[in-house]
Amino acid sequence: MFLVLLFSTCLAIIIVRQYLKVRKLPPGPTSLPLIGNIHQLVYHTWRHKGIVEAFDYFRQTYGDVFTIWLGPIPHVSICDYETSQEVFVKNGNKYKDRFLPPLFEHISGNLGLVSANGENWAEMRRFALGAFRSMGVGRDLMEERIMVELDARCSEIDASSIDGTSVVHISSFFDITVGSVINSILVGKRYDEHNKQEFLDIKALFDANADLFTVFDLFVPVWFLKKFFPSRFERFVKGVENINNYVSREAMERYEKMRSGECPIDPEDPQSFVEAYLLKLEEEEKKLKEEPDRMYTMKCLRFVIGDLWLAGQDTTTTTSSDESYLSPT
């Protein structure tokens, strides 16, 4: 009898606490203690033939701003452009204290963009947006860069044509085109037939880490992974390290050339995101010679480049397909 009463009391406390949390958030499907809306998300993903379609169903049912609970953690989804612009662009700094997977925070040490939080994230966000704007992102100058890349890519297709016909693998075409634009903006180097393998190596590293990572890794404490899944933990840490080391190679080389005076950077006209960052790093070093703990470091740059690569490459190329296209030249 005592156990039944204890169980009922605990269950009632959990339900009341869940109800109080739900009341403060935008509407959404009714969540259960501990598992949240996972069961509904799985069902609607199956019913509507995809996760995107499931979220579209929730949007139609609960409005453009709704809450989905993934286990005990709420996620507010914003599905219209105006609200997204208001929240993330105009008032982005108000959301600098966010939930991050414990594993991400442990690996990054609160560095970078995707895996950083608080003032570190806000500062890197401010710098990145300013650097990209100065390089023409969002303006005609960026469009020109993209068109130059597309012209070069189409010339390669024409050169590889046989009897006036080219076979184009759409997914590969968009992958390397997007990757080349990203790398050009970040480190000032595009990919062509001579160095295409470098891009393929980067993509293989990202794909391997993505295949390893699961929803389980989002929420489980780091100590739990270390204790019960040590090999999995080490593989993930090593994967992130390999990615950051590979994508930041040119940045490290550029840093050494700047420090040695072999190739100085024009403060009025940085040619890439890395050059803009190195100028900022040099400026901060002059200000904080006596201060050992500073925000702008080469370690931080490695994580920033890795995050920008992941965000730009993955979200853009997922719109492409694996189909081939016969192009008469």
Side-chain angles (χ1 to χ4, degrees):
M1 184 64 183
F2 173 75
L3 292 177
V4 173
L5 181 61
L6 180 63
F7 175 77
S8 300
T9 303
C10 292
L11 183 61
I13 292 173
I14 291 173
I15 292 174
V16 170
R17 288 185 63 188
Q18 181 74 6
Y19 171 74
L20 293 175
K21 291 178 182 178
V22 168
R23 279 193 348 178
K24 301 176 182 178
L25 296 168
T30 302
S31 61
L32 297 177
L34 302 181
I35 67 170
N37 299 117
I38 289 178
H39 59 300
Q40 293 151 305
L41 190 57
V42 170
Y43 169 72
H44 286 291
T45 299
W46 168 78
R47 181 184 176 188
H48 298 282
K49 312 300 182 185
I51 187 71
V52 174
E53 289 75 10
F55 271 86
D56 189 53
Y57 166 79
F58 291 135
R59 180 189 63 80
Q60 294 176 30
T61 306
Y62 301 103
D64 288 330
V65 181
F66 60 89
T67 304
I68 292 288
W69 289 74
L70 297 180
I73 300 172
H75 290 259
V76 177
S77 296
I78 300 174
C79 304
D80 71 301
Y81 175 79
E82 290 76 15
T83 307
S84 297
Q85 184 82 357
E86 181 71 25
V87 170
F88 298 114
V89 177
K90 296 181 180 178
N91 297 290
N93 284 343
K94 293 182 180 179
Y95 299 89
K96 61 186 179 183
D97 292 314
R98 312 161 296 156
F99 166 80
L100 289 176
L103 183 60
F104 285 11
E105 288 190 284
H106 176 80
I107 293 175
S108 72
N110 203 32
L111 298 176
L113 288 167
V114 173
S115 303
N117 219 343
E119 191 55 40
N120 278 14
W121 172 79
E123 176 61 27
M124 283 302 121
R125 175 181 179 273
R126 281 193 294 267
F127 171 77
L129 290 174
F132 286 135
R133 277 195 294 267
S134 68
M135 293 168 58
V137 173
R139 297 188 283 118
D140 291 345
L141 184 59
M142 190 66 236
E143 183 179 344
E144 291 175 11
R145 283 195 178 206
I146 295 173
M147 292 308 300
V148 167
E149 180 62 35
L150 282 173
D151 288 342
R153 198 65 56 199
C154 289
S155 297
E156 292 175 6
I157 293 174
D158 292 342
S160 64
S161 65
I162 300 175
D163 297 329
T165 300
S166 301
V167 178
V168 181
H169 296 276
I170 302 299
S171 179
S172 300
F173 176 84
F174 277 108
D175 265 353
I176 193 168
T177 301
V178 171
S180 188
V181 172
I182 292 171
N183 208 55
S184 175
I185 295 170
L186 291 181
V187 301
K189 174 183 174 182
R190 66 174 297 271
Y191 295 116
D192 54 27
E193 287 300 316
H194 300 95
N195 61 2
K196 184 169 68 173
Q197 187 58 44
E198 293 181 22
F199 167 76
L200 297 176
D201 292 340
I202 292 173
K203 182 170 174 55
L205 289 171
F206 276 115
D207 289 345
N209 236 31
D211 291 341
L212 176 64
F213 190 75
T214 66
V215 175
F216 169 78
D217 302 300
L218 278 174
F219 306 109
V220 69
V222 173
W223 66 264
F224 186 87
L225 275 176
K226 284 184 175 181
K227 184 173 180 61
F228 297 103
F229 301 94
S231 61
R232 181 182 184 82
F233 172 78
E234 291 299 331
R235 284 174 61 196
F236 194 80
V237 172
K238 190 66 176 176
V240 173
E241 184 180 350
N242 288 339
I243 288 171
N244 289 342
N245 286 340
Y246 202 98
V247 298
S248 62
R249 290 175 307 146
E250 278 84 6
M252 300 303 159
E253 293 173 5
R254 188 71 184 87
Y255 175 67
E256 293 301 327
K257 289 181 179 179
M258 182 194 76
R259 299 284 286 188
S260 66
E262 177 184 345
C263 191
I265 300 172
D266 181 0
E268 302 300 323
D269 186 28
Q271 298 299 303
S272 65
F273 176 83
V274 164
E275 289 197 355
Y277 186 96
L278 293 179
L279 288 171
K280 181 68 174 178
L281 183 149
E282 192 173 46
E283 177 187 324
E284 291 296 310
E285 284 181 341
K286 291 177 181 177
K287 289 181 183 176
L288 304 172
K289 285 185 177 179
E290 305 301 323
E291 178 58 57
D293 183 22
R294 62 181 189 272
M295 194 173 297
Y296 289 88
T297 64
M298 292 306 292
K299 183 178 180 181
C300 181
L301 177 60
R302 290 172 60 248
F303 279 99
V304 170
I305 294 176
D307 289 344
L308 291 172
W309 249 107
L310 175 64
Q313 184 71 24
D314 189 58
T315 57
T316 306
T317 57
T318 47
T319 59
S320 63
S321 70
D322 289 325
E323 297 176 358
S324 301
Y325 174 66
L326 294 176
S327 172
T329 56

PDB file of all heavy atoms in Angstrom, residues 97-114:
ATOM      1  N   ASP A  97      21.725  32.153 -24.427  1.00  0.00           N
ATOM      2  CA  ASP A  97      21.791  31.051 -23.465  1.00  0.00           C
ATOM      3  C   ASP A  97      20.819  29.972 -23.909  1.00  0.00           C
ATOM      4  O   ASP A  97      19.628  30.004 -23.611  1.00  0.00           O
ATOM      5  CB  ASP A  97      21.444  31.544 -22.055  1.00  0.00           C
ATOM      6  CG  ASP A  97      22.508  32.486 -21.514  1.00  0.00           C
ATOM      7  OD1 ASP A  97      23.696  32.150 -21.650  1.00  0.00           O
ATOM      8  OD2 ASP A  97      22.149  33.539 -20.979  1.00  0.00           O
ATOM      9  N   ARG A  98      21.342  29.012 -24.655  1.00  0.00           N
ATOM     10  CA  ARG A  98      20.500  27.987 -25.272  1.00  0.00           C
ATOM     11  C   ARG A  98      20.855  26.621 -24.711  1.00  0.00           C
ATOM     12  O   ARG A  98      21.900  26.428 -24.096  1.00  0.00           O
ATOM     13  CB  ARG A  98      20.722  27.973 -26.788  1.00  0.00           C
ATOM     14  CG  ARG A  98      20.666  29.339 -27.448  1.00  0.00           C
ATOM     15  CD  ARG A  98      21.341  29.322 -28.807  1.00  0.00           C
ATOM     16  NE  ARG A  98      22.768  29.035 -28.700  1.00  0.00           N
ATOM     17  CZ  ARG A  98      23.505  28.516 -29.659  1.00  0.00           C
ATOM     18  NH1 ARG A  98      22.955  28.202 -30.804  1.00  0.00           N
ATOM     19  NH2 ARG A  98      24.782  28.297 -29.490  1.00  0.00           N
ATOM     20  N   PHE A  99      19.957  25.659 -24.983  1.00  0.00           N
ATOM     21  CA  PHE A  99      20.308  24.280 -24.652  1.00  0.00           C
ATOM     22  C   PHE A  99      21.274  23.749 -25.703  1.00  0.00           C
ATOM     23  O   PHE A  99      21.057  23.907 -26.900  1.00  0.00           O
ATOM     24  CB  PHE A  99      19.059  23.393 -24.617  1.00  0.00           C
ATOM     25  CG  PHE A  99      19.404  21.923 -24.614  1.00  0.00           C
ATOM     26  CD1 PHE A  99      19.801  21.300 -23.443  1.00  0.00           C
ATOM     27  CD2 PHE A  99      19.369  21.180 -25.793  1.00  0.00           C
ATOM     28  CE1 PHE A  99      20.145  19.959 -23.435  1.00  0.00           C
ATOM     29  CE2 PHE A  99      19.712  19.836 -25.789  1.00  0.00           C
ATOM     30  CZ  PHE A  99      20.097  19.225 -24.608  1.00  0.00           C
ATOM     31  N   LEU A 100      22.350  23.149 -25.249  1.00  0.00           N
ATOM     32  CA  LEU A 100      23.284  22.477 -26.146  1.00  0.00           C
ATOM     33  C   LEU A 100      23.490  21.046 -25.665  1.00  0.00           C
ATOM     34  O   LEU A 100      23.518  20.796 -24.456  1.00  0.00           O
ATOM     35  CB  LEU A 100      24.634  23.204 -26.167  1.00  0.00           C
ATOM     36  CG  LEU A 100      24.685  24.567 -26.858  1.00  0.00           C
ATOM     37  CD1 LEU A 100      26.060  25.178 -26.684  1.00  0.00           C
ATOM     38  CD2 LEU A 100      24.346  24.429 -28.334  1.00  0.00           C
ATOM     39  N   PRO A 101      23.626  20.107 -26.576  1.00  0.00           N
ATOM     40  CA  PRO A 101      23.929  18.745 -26.156  1.00  0.00           C
ATOM     41  C   PRO A 101      25.195  18.721 -25.300  1.00  0.00           C
ATOM     42  O   PRO A 101      26.200  19.348 -25.663  1.00  0.00           O
ATOM     43  CB  PRO A 101      24.146  18.006 -27.487  1.00  0.00           C
ATOM     44  CG  PRO A 101      23.359  18.799 -28.482  1.00  0.00           C
ATOM     45  CD  PRO A 101      23.463  20.222 -28.027  1.00  0.00           C
ATOM     46  N   PRO A 102      25.181  18.036 -24.166  1.00  0.00           N
ATOM     47  CA  PRO A 102      26.363  17.997 -23.292  1.00  0.00           C
ATOM     48  C   PRO A 102      27.633  17.557 -24.019  1.00  0.00           C
ATOM     49  O   PRO A 102      28.715  18.070 -23.746  1.00  0.00           O
ATOM     50  CB  PRO A 102      25.962  16.982 -22.211  1.00  0.00           C
ATOM     51  CG  PRO A 102      24.467  17.030 -22.187  1.00  0.00           C
ATOM     52  CD  PRO A 102      24.053  17.277 -23.601  1.00  0.00           C
ATOM     53  N   LEU A 103      27.481  16.615 -24.955  1.00  0.00           N
ATOM     54  CA  LEU A 103      28.648  16.134 -25.701  1.00  0.00           C
ATOM     55  C   LEU A 103      29.266  17.257 -26.528  1.00  0.00           C
ATOM     56  O   LEU A 103      30.492  17.387 -26.597  1.00  0.00           O
ATOM     57  CB  LEU A 103      28.239  14.965 -26.600  1.00  0.00           C
ATOM     58  CG  LEU A 103      29.359  14.302 -27.405  1.00  0.00           C
ATOM     59  CD1 LEU A 103      30.438  13.742 -26.492  1.00  0.00           C
ATOM     60  CD2 LEU A 103      28.788  13.213 -28.297  1.00  0.00           C
ATOM     61  N   PHE A 104      28.428  18.084 -27.165  1.00  0.00           N
ATOM     62  CA  PHE A 104      28.926  19.194 -27.966  1.00  0.00           C
ATOM     63  C   PHE A 104      29.712  20.176 -27.101  1.00  0.00           C
ATOM     64  O   PHE A 104      30.795  20.632 -27.471  1.00  0.00           O
ATOM     65  CB  PHE A 104      27.767  19.930 -28.638  1.00  0.00           C
ATOM     66  CG  PHE A 104      27.162  19.210 -29.811  1.00  0.00           C
ATOM     67  CD1 PHE A 104      27.482  17.896 -30.074  1.00  0.00           C
ATOM     68  CD2 PHE A 104      26.264  19.849 -30.643  1.00  0.00           C
ATOM     69  CE1 PHE A 104      26.923  17.219 -31.155  1.00  0.00           C
ATOM     70  CE2 PHE A 104      25.709  19.199 -31.725  1.00  0.00           C
ATOM     71  CZ  PHE A 104      26.036  17.886 -31.984  1.00  0.00           C
ATOM     72  N   GLU A 105      29.131  20.535 -25.958  1.00  0.00           N
ATOM     73  CA  GLU A 105      29.794  21.490 -25.069  1.00  0.00           C
ATOM     74  C   GLU A 105      31.121  20.945 -24.563  1.00  0.00           C
ATOM     75  O   GLU A 105      32.108  21.679 -24.439  1.00  0.00           O
ATOM     76  CB  GLU A 105      28.885  21.817 -23.891  1.00  0.00           C
ATOM     77  CG  GLU A 105      27.696  22.693 -24.246  1.00  0.00           C
ATOM     78  CD  GLU A 105      26.967  23.180 -23.012  1.00  0.00           C
ATOM     79  OE1 GLU A 105      26.235  22.369 -22.406  1.00  0.00           O
ATOM     80  OE2 GLU A 105      27.121  24.353 -22.647  1.00  0.00           O
ATOM     81  N   HIS A 106      31.147  19.651 -24.271  1.00  0.00           N
ATOM     82  CA  HIS A 106      32.368  19.040 -23.751  1.00  0.00           C
ATOM     83  C   HIS A 106      33.486  19.074 -24.796  1.00  0.00           C
ATOM     84  O   HIS A 106      34.636  19.401 -24.472  1.00  0.00           O
ATOM     85  CB  HIS A 106      32.085  17.591 -23.344  1.00  0.00           C
ATOM     86  CG  HIS A 106      33.299  16.849 -22.881  1.00  0.00           C
ATOM     87  ND1 HIS A 106      33.810  16.980 -21.605  1.00  0.00           N
ATOM     88  CD2 HIS A 106      34.122  15.971 -23.527  1.00  0.00           C
ATOM     89  CE1 HIS A 106      34.879  16.218 -21.487  1.00  0.00           C
ATOM     90  NE2 HIS A 106      35.090  15.597 -22.635  1.00  0.00           N
ATOM     91  N   ILE A 107      33.156  18.760 -26.026  1.00  0.00           N
ATOM     92  CA  ILE A 107      34.165  18.688 -27.079  1.00  0.00           C
ATOM     93  C   ILE A 107      34.669  20.080 -27.462  1.00  0.00           C
ATOM     94  O   ILE A 107      35.871  20.297 -27.627  1.00  0.00           O
ATOM     95  CB  ILE A 107      33.600  17.969 -28.318  1.00  0.00           C
ATOM     96  CG1 ILE A 107      33.345  16.489 -27.994  1.00  0.00           C
ATOM     97  CG2 ILE A 107      34.559  18.082 -29.504  1.00  0.00           C
ATOM     98  CD1 ILE A 107      32.666  15.731 -29.115  1.00  0.00           C
ATOM     99  N   SER A 108      33.747  21.036 -27.595  1.00  0.00           N
ATOM    100  CA  SER A 108      34.135  22.358 -28.086  1.00  0.00           C
ATOM    101  C   SER A 108      34.719  23.250 -26.996  1.00  0.00           C
ATOM    102  O   SER A 108      35.432  24.214 -27.302  1.00  0.00           O
ATOM    103  CB  SER A 108      32.929  23.061 -28.712  1.00  0.00           C
ATOM    104  OG  SER A 108      32.009  23.464 -27.706  1.00  0.00           O
ATOM    105  N   GLY A 109      34.404  22.964 -25.721  1.00  0.00           N
ATOM    106  CA  GLY A 109      34.847  23.872 -24.665  1.00  0.00           C
ATOM    107  C   GLY A 109      34.229  25.250 -24.799  1.00  0.00           C
ATOM    108  O   GLY A 109      34.848  26.261 -24.460  1.00  0.00           O
ATOM    109  N   ASN A 110      33.000  25.296 -25.326  1.00  0.00           N
ATOM    110  CA  ASN A 110      32.262  26.554 -25.532  1.00  0.00           C
ATOM    111  C   ASN A 110      32.947  27.456 -26.559  1.00  0.00           C
ATOM    112  O   ASN A 110      32.920  28.687 -26.438  1.00  0.00           O
ATOM    113  CB  ASN A 110      32.069  27.312 -24.215  1.00  0.00           C
ATOM    114  CG  ASN A 110      30.881  28.269 -24.262  1.00  0.00           C
ATOM    115  OD1 ASN A 110      29.889  28.004 -24.939  1.00  0.00           O
ATOM    116  ND2 ASN A 110      30.995  29.382 -23.566  1.00  0.00           N
ATOM    117  N   LEU A 111      33.518  26.841 -27.591  1.00  0.00           N
ATOM    118  CA  LEU A 111      34.127  27.593 -28.678  1.00  0.00           C
ATOM    119  C   LEU A 111      33.358  27.346 -29.970  1.00  0.00           C
ATOM    120  O   LEU A 111      32.728  26.307 -30.136  1.00  0.00           O
ATOM    121  CB  LEU A 111      35.589  27.171 -28.868  1.00  0.00           C
ATOM    122  CG  LEU A 111      36.537  27.415 -27.695  1.00  0.00           C
ATOM    123  CD1 LEU A 111      37.917  26.849 -28.013  1.00  0.00           C
ATOM    124  CD2 LEU A 111      36.639  28.897 -27.357  1.00  0.00           C
ATOM    125  N   GLY A 112      33.437  28.297 -30.888  1.00  0.00           N
ATOM    126  CA  GLY A 112      32.797  28.124 -32.179  1.00  0.00           C
ATOM    127  C   GLY A 112      31.449  28.821 -32.239  1.00  0.00           C
ATOM    128  O   GLY A 112      31.186  29.798 -31.537  1.00  0.00           O
ATOM    129  N   LEU A 113      30.559  28.283 -33.109  1.00  0.00           N
ATOM    130  CA  LEU A 113      29.232  28.861 -33.299  1.00  0.00           C
ATOM    131  C   LEU A 113      28.125  27.876 -32.946  1.00  0.00           C
ATOM    132  O   LEU A 113      27.248  28.174 -32.151  1.00  0.00           O
ATOM    133  CB  LEU A 113      29.068  29.314 -34.754  1.00  0.00           C
ATOM    134  CG  LEU A 113      29.860  30.566 -35.151  1.00  0.00           C
ATOM    135  CD1 LEU A 113      29.885  30.727 -36.662  1.00  0.00           C
ATOM    136  CD2 LEU A 113      29.260  31.801 -34.511  1.00  0.00           C
ATOM    137  N   VAL A 114      28.171  26.688 -33.525  1.00  0.00           N
ATOM    138  CA  VAL A 114      27.128  25.694 -33.270  1.00  0.00           C
ATOM    139  C   VAL A 114      27.180  25.186 -31.837  1.00  0.00           C
ATOM    140  O   VAL A 114      26.149  24.997 -31.192  1.00  0.00           O
ATOM    141  CB  VAL A 114      27.250  24.517 -34.259  1.00  0.00           C
ATOM    142  CG1 VAL A 114      26.278  23.402 -33.907  1.00  0.00           C
ATOM    143  CG2 VAL A 114      27.003  24.994 -35.685  1.00  0.00           C
TER     144      VAL A 114
END
